């Protein structure tokens, strides 16, 4: 076996090993008998008929939004963004600490010839828009009906919405001011204390992230990203509704409902 073929075989084995360990970690503590009973009673036709088109639309919208965020960095095609989004979501479901976010940046960096830390800056902007968009939707749902969001009654949750919207909005207003040159002036003295081996790479990483978040300095970017963010969250509702109806899933999914998607799941109960 030639060296390239041997390397590919080793990479495949390593990928299978990581997947197996991740699946074992996810499946720990699951009651297999209860799982088999639930699967026997599930309505998979309903779930698949609604979830597959909705997930495809959601991923396509996220890819389109990310393309808007990377447009000022390099002309990378929509399909490359879509593949990277799929890679990221797949790994987020298998690995802890949302490792898929880093993986999708690395994948797209190889496709588009952009540095991965620079793409991480665009993902940072994306996350802030997600928080702001979810806050907007929470306000809409609370206005339509007094639902409990993340275990918080509607009256109390409504008082938290201004902070939920203002914090990401303030961060989005601040990020365009953090140019790579300004980041170097602010962080340079501190990173130099770490020495060349650690300080210089860290400073370069921070400059790259600042370059990626600088997409907000591009005219005409804000409105399409806002609209696509709302569309992304709206298309996440049908699969959750289908899971409630077809699989008898109890939402929120994460302990204490702390995750961002669990907030969307809680809002889905308004529809269900």
């Amino acid at each position: 076996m030639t060296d390239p073929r041997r390397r590919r075989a080793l990479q495949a084995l390593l990928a299978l090993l990581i997947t197996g360990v991740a699946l074992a970690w996810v499946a720990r503590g699951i009651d297999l008998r209860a799982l088999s009973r639930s699967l026997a009673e599930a309505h998979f036709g309903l779930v698949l008929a609604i979830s597959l088109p909705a997930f495809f639309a959601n991923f396509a919208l996220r890819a389109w939004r990310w393309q808007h965020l990377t447009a000022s960095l390099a002309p990378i095609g929509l399909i490359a963004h879509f593949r990277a989004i799929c890679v990221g979501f797949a790994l987020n479901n298998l690995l802890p600490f949302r490792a898929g976010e880093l993986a999708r940046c690395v994948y797209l960096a190889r496709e588009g010839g952009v540095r991965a830390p620079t793409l991480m800056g665009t993902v940072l902007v994306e996350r802030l828009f997600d928080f702001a968009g979810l806050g907007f939707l929470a306000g809409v749902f609370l206005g339509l009906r007094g639902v409990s969001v993340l275990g918080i009654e509607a009256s109390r949750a409504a008082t938290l919405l201004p902070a939920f919207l203002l914090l990401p909005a303030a961060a989005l207003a601040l990020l365009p001011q953090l140019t790579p040159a300004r980041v170097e002036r602010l962080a340079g003295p501190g990173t130099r204390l770490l020495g060349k081996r650690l300080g210089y790479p860290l400073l370069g990483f921070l400059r790259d992230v600042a370059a990626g978040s600088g997409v907000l300095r591009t005219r005409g970017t804000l409105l399409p990203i806002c609209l696509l963010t709302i569309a992304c969250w709206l298309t996440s509702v049908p699969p959750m509704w289908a899971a409630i109806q077809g699989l008898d899933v109890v939402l929120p999914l994460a302990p204490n409902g702390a995750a961002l998607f669990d907030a969307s799941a809680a809002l889905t109960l308004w529809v269900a």
Side-chain angles (χ1 to χ4, degrees):
M1 181 183 293
T2 62
D3 286 343
R5 293 180 63 187
R6 181 178 300 157
R7 186 163 54 249
R8 286 195 294 269
L10 290 175
Q11 289 174 345
L13 288 174
L14 180 60
L16 289 174
L17 177 62
I18 293 174
T19 301
V21 172
L23 287 173
W25 173 263
V26 171
R28 72 192 189 287
I30 292 179
D31 186 341
L32 295 180
R33 291 184 178 178
L35 177 62
S36 62
R37 287 196 299 270
S38 298
L39 291 177
E41 298 170 357
H43 302 285
F44 288 107
L46 172 68
V47 175
L48 293 177
I50 295 177
S51 297
L52 289 181
F55 274 126
F56 181 85
N58 185 268
F59 285 12
L61 288 168
R62 289 180 180 277
W64 192 13
R65 179 180 64 171
W66 199 16
Q67 188 182 34
H68 276 282
L69 291 170
T70 63
S72 62
L73 304 174
I76 308 174
L78 180 63
I79 299 300
H81 285 84
F82 183 84
R83 288 198 296 261
I85 290 287
C86 292
V87 168
F89 268 81
L91 290 179
N92 276 339
N93 288 327
L94 293 175
L95 302 177
F97 310 117
R98 297 195 65 82
E101 303 295 347
L102 174 60
R104 67 169 164 132
C105 291
V106 173
Y107 183 92
L108 192 64
R110 292 179 178 178
E111 291 266 335
V114 181
R115 291 175 59 83
T118 305
L119 292 173
M120 290 178 65
T122 66
V123 172
L124 173 62
V125 173
E126 184 181 274
R127 294 297 95 188
L128 291 172
F129 272 100
D130 276 336
F131 274 106
L134 185 56
F136 172 78
L137 287 179
V140 171
F141 280 106
L142 286 170
L144 291 174
R145 180 177 173 184
V147 328
S148 173
V149 178
L150 298 180
I152 304 173
E153 292 301 322
S155 58
R156 291 186 59 198
T159 63
L160 299 176
L161 283 176
F164 201 66
L165 287 167
L166 288 176
L167 287 176
L172 288 169
L174 176 64
L175 278 177
Q177 311 305 318
L178 294 177
T179 62
R182 184 166 292 175
V183 166
E184 185 167 3
R185 287 198 302 271
L186 293 173
T191 55
R192 279 193 287 272
L193 295 175
L194 300 175
K196 292 184 178 180
R197 184 167 296 181
L198 293 177
Y200 285 6
L202 177 59
L203 183 59
F205 173 82
L206 294 175
R207 282 199 305 259
D208 285 340
V209 172
S213 61
V215 64
L216 294 174
R217 293 188 290 271
T218 305
R219 283 189 174 185
T221 301
L222 189 61
L223 180 60
I225 294 177
C226 287
L227 295 176
L228 286 169
T229 297
I230 299 299
C232 287
W233 282 107
L234 289 176
T235 53
S236 71
V237 170
M240 294 181 187
W241 180 87
I244 294 172
Q245 301 297 325
L247 302 178
D248 195 24
V249 172
V250 177
L251 299 175
L253 305 176
N256 303 319
L260 188 61
F261 273 95
D262 293 300
S264 180
L267 295 178
T268 306
L269 295 176
W270 178 84
V271 180

